[in-house]
Amino acid sequence: MTEPSGGSSDTPRRPVVVPAIALTAFTAVGITALLGGLREAPEEPEALGPGAVIDQGQFTTKVVESRVTVERAQNRFEEDKRFVDVVFDVKNNGDETVPVGVPPQKIESAFTLASFAGSLVKIDPVFPKDAGPYVFARSKGDESRQLHPGITSQVVLRYRLKDTEQPPQKISLDVAAFEWEPDFNNVTPRWKMVATEVGDKWLPDIKARVTLSVKEGDAA
């Protein structure tokens, strides 16, 4: 019987060698394409502590401290009250008086706020809702809920502790910033929180991450 043209089918075939580095590159490109292309990893926010100064655009903010504050009872029928305070020195760089404000309940709603406390977009640990926060400013001995232009005021972010509750050892805050630019439907510029559109949400860009040890209590 005559063998078919082309030689015997039993002739072994030489394996094709693909370098490992090529496989790795191919896999990486494939995964990148699957995830929607090359993207830059977001930068970690600047880590800050006591004494640091943050340029927030609308505000220049000095981080002072975190401490337990004790408010003494006024009579024998009352009890002492204890608070965790976070203290800042804040200068309003704008031309108008603005509210001190309160931190946002959800980070995705923060970008609509234009107050100082509105820029404190994440606080860890999370305090119970009935603990506060209560935010106020002190300037020349007076307590206020406003920040006047060109003036530096002490701003206190305050949470109340329950009678048997121990304060946290540390408290951490993610701080956003503001920029002076036109509004969506108005060419007149205003201070707006710096944020990035992610899907159907606007999430604030984190300017700095502040971590403070909570000091022992002092009388208010």
Side-chain angles (χ1 to χ4, degrees):
M1 183 179 293
T2 305
E3 291 184 0
S5 61
S8 170
S9 59
D10 296 333
T11 303
R13 297 182 179 181
R14 180 177 299 174
V16 178
V17 178
V18 179
I21 189 171
L23 288 173
T24 303
F26 178 80
T27 303
V29 171
I31 292 174
T32 302
L34 184 65
L35 295 177
L38 294 172
R39 295 178 182 174
E40 293 184 3
E43 294 183 4
E44 282 294 312
E46 187 177 4
L48 302 176
V53 177
I54 309 171
D55 179 6
Q56 295 185 263
Q58 187 176 9
F59 308 104
T60 299
T61 302
K62 180 179 180 180
V63 182
V64 179
E65 64 178 352
S66 179
R67 65 184 182 226
V68 174
T69 300
V70 180
E71 188 177 284
R72 300 300 182 187
Q74 298 297 312
N75 54 61
R76 62 189 181 88
F77 300 105
E78 297 181 352
E79 295 182 350
D80 293 347
K81 298 177 182 178
R82 297 180 305 132
F83 306 91
V84 173
D85 288 351
V86 183
V87 184
F88 307 89
D89 287 338
V90 181
K91 180 182 179 182
N92 177 5
N93 296 323
D95 297 327
E96 298 180 356
T97 297
V98 295
V100 176
V102 294
Q105 294 186 354
K106 296 181 179 180
I107 193 170
E108 56 265 30
S109 64
F111 83 101
T112 62
L113 304 176
S115 61
F116 167 72
S119 69
L120 308 178
V121 297
K122 183 179 178 182
I123 300 172
D124 185 39
V126 177
F127 289 85
K129 289 185 177 180
D130 59 355
Y134 176 60
V135 191
F136 57 93
R138 288 192 182 117
S139 180
K140 298 179 180 179
D142 296 327
E143 188 173 305
S144 171
R145 300 297 303 276
Q146 295 181 325
L147 295 171
H148 299 289
I151 296 176
T152 299
S153 303
Q154 183 184 82
V155 175
V156 179
L157 172 71
R158 170 169 286 182
Y159 291 91
R160 184 172 179 180
L161 295 170
K162 296 179 181 178
D163 294 341
T164 59
E165 185 179 3
Q166 294 300 312
Q169 292 184 342
K170 295 181 180 294
I171 189 166
S172 178
L173 305 97
D174 282 1
V175 182
F178 300 87
E179 58 187 355
W180 182 256
E181 64 173 19
D183 205 347
F184 295 110
N185 301 315
N186 192 336
V187 296
T188 303
R190 67 179 181 90
W191 287 108
K192 296 173 58 179
M193 188 174 293
V194 182
T196 301
E197 188 174 11
V198 180
D200 59 348
K201 301 176 181 178
W202 285 88
L203 299 181
D205 295 351
I206 306 305
K207 175 76 173 182
R209 179 164 292 148
V210 176
T211 301
L212 300 169
S213 297
V214 180
K215 299 178 180 179
E216 293 295 328
D218 294 320

mmCIF file of all heavy atoms in Angstrom, residues 111-114 179-184 187-193:
data_model
loop_
_atom_site.group_PDB
_atom_site.id
_atom_site.type_symbol
_atom_site.label_atom_id
_atom_site.label_comp_id
_atom_site.label_asym_id
_atom_site.label_seq_id
_atom_site.Cartn_x
_atom_site.Cartn_y
_atom_site.Cartn_z
ATOM 1 N N PHE A 111 -21.031 66.914 48.102
ATOM 2 C CA PHE A 111 -20.594 67.870 47.083
ATOM 3 C C PHE A 111 -21.545 69.053 46.940
ATOM 4 O O PHE A 111 -21.179 70.087 46.376
ATOM 5 C CB PHE A 111 -20.412 67.166 45.733
ATOM 6 C CG PHE A 111 -21.682 66.986 44.946
ATOM 7 C CD1 PHE A 111 -21.993 67.834 43.899
ATOM 8 C CD2 PHE A 111 -22.567 65.964 45.252
ATOM 9 C CE1 PHE A 111 -23.159 67.672 43.161
ATOM 10 C CE2 PHE A 111 -23.724 65.784 44.529
ATOM 11 C CZ PHE A 111 -24.030 66.646 43.481
ATOM 12 N N THR A 112 -22.760 68.945 47.469
ATOM 13 C CA THR A 112 -23.709 70.053 47.382
ATOM 14 C C THR A 112 -23.499 71.080 48.493
ATOM 15 O O THR A 112 -24.113 72.147 48.466
ATOM 16 C CB THR A 112 -25.155 69.528 47.472
ATOM 17 O OG1 THR A 112 -25.353 68.900 48.748
ATOM 18 C CG2 THR A 112 -25.450 68.514 46.370
ATOM 19 N N LEU A 113 -22.642 70.771 49.465
ATOM 20 C CA LEU A 113 -22.473 71.628 50.629
ATOM 21 C C LEU A 113 -21.375 72.664 50.398
ATOM 22 O O LEU A 113 -20.406 72.402 49.688
ATOM 23 C CB LEU A 113 -22.143 70.775 51.863
ATOM 24 C CG LEU A 113 -23.160 69.680 52.198
ATOM 25 C CD1 LEU A 113 -22.678 68.850 53.379
ATOM 26 C CD2 LEU A 113 -24.532 70.284 52.487
ATOM 27 N N ALA A 114 -21.532 73.819 51.021
ATOM 28 C CA ALA A 114 -20.533 74.887 50.890
ATOM 29 C C ALA A 114 -20.184 75.458 52.257
ATOM 30 O O ALA A 114 -19.898 76.645 52.388
ATOM 31 C CB ALA A 114 -21.051 75.984 49.965
ATOM 32 N N GLU A 179 -13.290 74.910 45.242
ATOM 33 C CA GLU A 179 -12.694 75.721 44.185
ATOM 34 C C GLU A 179 -13.693 76.761 43.724
ATOM 35 O O GLU A 179 -14.906 76.551 43.796
ATOM 36 C CB GLU A 179 -12.229 74.845 43.013
ATOM 37 C CG GLU A 179 -13.315 74.008 42.380
ATOM 38 C CD GLU A 179 -12.782 73.038 41.356
ATOM 39 O OE1 GLU A 179 -11.570 73.088 41.079
ATOM 40 O OE2 GLU A 179 -13.559 72.222 40.824
ATOM 41 N N TRP A 180 -13.175 77.880 43.225
ATOM 42 C CA TRP A 180 -14.002 79.003 42.788
ATOM 43 C C TRP A 180 -14.258 78.837 41.296
ATOM 44 O O TRP A 180 -13.371 78.998 40.471
ATOM 45 C CB TRP A 180 -13.261 80.304 43.073
ATOM 46 C CG TRP A 180 -13.985 81.572 42.731
ATOM 47 C CD1 TRP A 180 -13.762 82.376 41.658
ATOM 48 C CD2 TRP A 180 -15.045 82.185 43.472
ATOM 49 N NE1 TRP A 180 -14.606 83.456 41.677
ATOM 50 C CE2 TRP A 180 -15.402 83.366 42.787
ATOM 51 C CE3 TRP A 180 -15.718 81.868 44.642
ATOM 52 C CZ2 TRP A 180 -16.407 84.218 43.235
ATOM 53 C CZ3 TRP A 180 -16.719 82.718 45.089
ATOM 54 C CH2 TRP A 180 -17.061 83.880 44.390
ATOM 55 N N GLU A 181 -15.499 78.489 40.939
ATOM 56 C CA GLU A 181 -15.805 78.246 39.527
ATOM 57 C C GLU A 181 -17.295 78.451 39.273
ATOM 58 O O GLU A 181 -18.095 78.482 40.208
ATOM 59 C CB GLU A 181 -15.395 76.838 39.111
ATOM 60 C CG GLU A 181 -16.149 75.720 39.809
ATOM 61 C CD GLU A 181 -15.816 74.361 39.228
ATOM 62 O OE1 GLU A 181 -14.782 74.216 38.552
ATOM 63 O OE2 GLU A 181 -16.616 73.435 39.449
ATOM 64 N N PRO A 182 -17.685 78.598 37.987
ATOM 65 C CA PRO A 182 -19.097 78.794 37.655
ATOM 66 C C PRO A 182 -19.932 77.576 38.031
ATOM 67 O O PRO A 182 -19.448 76.446 38.075
ATOM 68 C CB PRO A 182 -19.082 79.006 36.142
ATOM 69 C CG PRO A 182 -17.684 79.416 35.820
ATOM 70 C CD PRO A 182 -16.812 78.717 36.811
ATOM 71 N N ASP A 183 -21.218 77.831 38.249
ATOM 72 C CA ASP A 183 -22.163 76.766 38.549
ATOM 73 C C ASP A 183 -22.609 76.116 37.245
ATOM 74 O O ASP A 183 -22.320 76.593 36.146
ATOM 75 C CB ASP A 183 -23.360 77.339 39.299
ATOM 76 C CG ASP A 183 -24.044 76.285 40.154
ATOM 77 O OD1 ASP A 183 -23.750 75.095 39.962
ATOM 78 O OD2 ASP A 183 -24.862 76.653 41.011
ATOM 79 N N PHE A 184 -23.345 74.994 37.361
ATOM 80 C CA PHE A 184 -23.805 74.276 36.179
ATOM 81 C C PHE A 184 -24.681 75.156 35.294
ATOM 82 O O PHE A 184 -24.527 75.185 34.081
ATOM 83 C CB PHE A 184 -24.592 73.025 36.602
ATOM 84 C CG PHE A 184 -23.764 71.997 37.314
ATOM 85 C CD1 PHE A 184 -23.953 71.756 38.663
ATOM 86 C CD2 PHE A 184 -22.787 71.280 36.640
ATOM 87 C CE1 PHE A 184 -23.198 70.812 39.331
ATOM 88 C CE2 PHE A 184 -22.021 70.331 37.291
ATOM 89 C CZ PHE A 184 -22.220 70.095 38.641
ATOM 90 N N VAL A 187 -23.251 81.294 35.042
ATOM 91 C CA VAL A 187 -21.858 81.638 34.733
ATOM 92 C C VAL A 187 -21.185 82.353 35.889
ATOM 93 O O VAL A 187 -19.965 82.507 35.904
ATOM 94 C CB VAL A 187 -21.774 82.513 33.463
ATOM 95 C CG1 VAL A 187 -22.272 81.744 32.252
ATOM 96 C CG2 VAL A 187 -22.564 83.812 33.642
ATOM 97 N N THR A 188 -21.979 82.807 36.879
ATOM 98 C CA THR A 188 -21.397 83.476 38.036
ATOM 99 C C THR A 188 -20.664 82.463 38.897
ATOM 100 O O THR A 188 -21.244 81.466 39.333
ATOM 101 C CB THR A 188 -22.489 84.157 38.876
ATOM 102 O OG1 THR A 188 -23.217 85.066 38.056
ATOM 103 C CG2 THR A 188 -21.877 84.901 40.050
ATOM 104 N N PRO A 189 -19.366 82.657 39.163
ATOM 105 C CA PRO A 189 -18.622 81.664 39.945
ATOM 106 C C PRO A 189 -19.020 81.664 41.420
ATOM 107 O O PRO A 189 -19.525 82.661 41.944
ATOM 108 C CB PRO A 189 -17.163 82.107 39.772
ATOM 109 C CG PRO A 189 -17.241 83.568 39.471
ATOM 110 C CD PRO A 189 -18.519 83.772 38.720
ATOM 111 N N ARG A 190 -18.799 80.551 42.037
ATOM 112 C CA ARG A 190 -19.039 80.416 43.478
ATOM 113 C C ARG A 190 -18.117 79.320 43.997
ATOM 114 O O ARG A 190 -17.488 78.588 43.232
ATOM 115 C CB ARG A 190 -20.500 80.080 43.763
ATOM 116 C CG ARG A 190 -20.943 78.693 43.278
ATOM 117 C CD ARG A 190 -22.389 78.418 43.625
ATOM 118 N NE ARG A 190 -22.829 77.098 43.197
ATOM 119 C CZ ARG A 190 -22.750 75.995 43.930
ATOM 120 N NH1 ARG A 190 -22.215 76.053 45.150
ATOM 121 N NH2 ARG A 190 -23.197 74.836 43.476
ATOM 122 N N TRP A 191 -18.034 79.196 45.331
ATOM 123 C CA TRP A 191 -17.233 78.142 45.924
ATOM 124 C C TRP A 191 -17.979 76.813 45.809
ATOM 125 O O TRP A 191 -19.115 76.699 46.254
ATOM 126 C CB TRP A 191 -16.935 78.442 47.391
ATOM 127 C CG TRP A 191 -15.938 79.538 47.593
ATOM 128 C CD1 TRP A 191 -16.178 80.798 48.056
ATOM 129 C CD2 TRP A 191 -14.532 79.479 47.335
ATOM 130 N NE1 TRP A 191 -15.023 81.526 48.112
ATOM 131 C CE2 TRP A 191 -13.989 80.731 47.674
ATOM 132 C CE3 TRP A 191 -13.684 78.480 46.850
ATOM 133 C CZ2 TRP A 191 -12.638 81.027 47.535
ATOM 134 C CZ3 TRP A 191 -12.329 78.765 46.715
ATOM 135 C CH2 TRP A 191 -11.817 80.020 47.049
ATOM 136 N N LYS A 192 -17.342 75.829 45.210
ATOM 137 C CA LYS A 192 -17.929 74.508 45.033
ATOM 138 C C LYS A 192 -16.943 73.452 45.503
ATOM 139 O O LYS A 192 -15.728 73.579 45.307
ATOM 140 C CB LYS A 192 -18.280 74.261 43.567
ATOM 141 C CG LYS A 192 -19.341 75.181 43.008
ATOM 142 C CD LYS A 192 -19.514 75.004 41.509
ATOM 143 C CE LYS A 192 -19.874 73.584 41.141
ATOM 144 N NZ LYS A 192 -20.074 73.434 39.684
ATOM 145 N N MET A 193 -17.462 72.407 46.117
ATOM 146 C CA MET A 193 -16.602 71.328 46.573
ATOM 147 C C MET A 193 -15.994 70.593 45.375
ATOM 148 O O MET A 193 -16.682 70.306 44.393
ATOM 149 C CB MET A 193 -17.389 70.348 47.447
ATOM 150 C CG MET A 193 -16.517 69.292 48.127
ATOM 151 S SD MET A 193 -17.448 68.243 49.282
ATOM 152 C CE MET A 193 -17.865 69.433 50.560
#
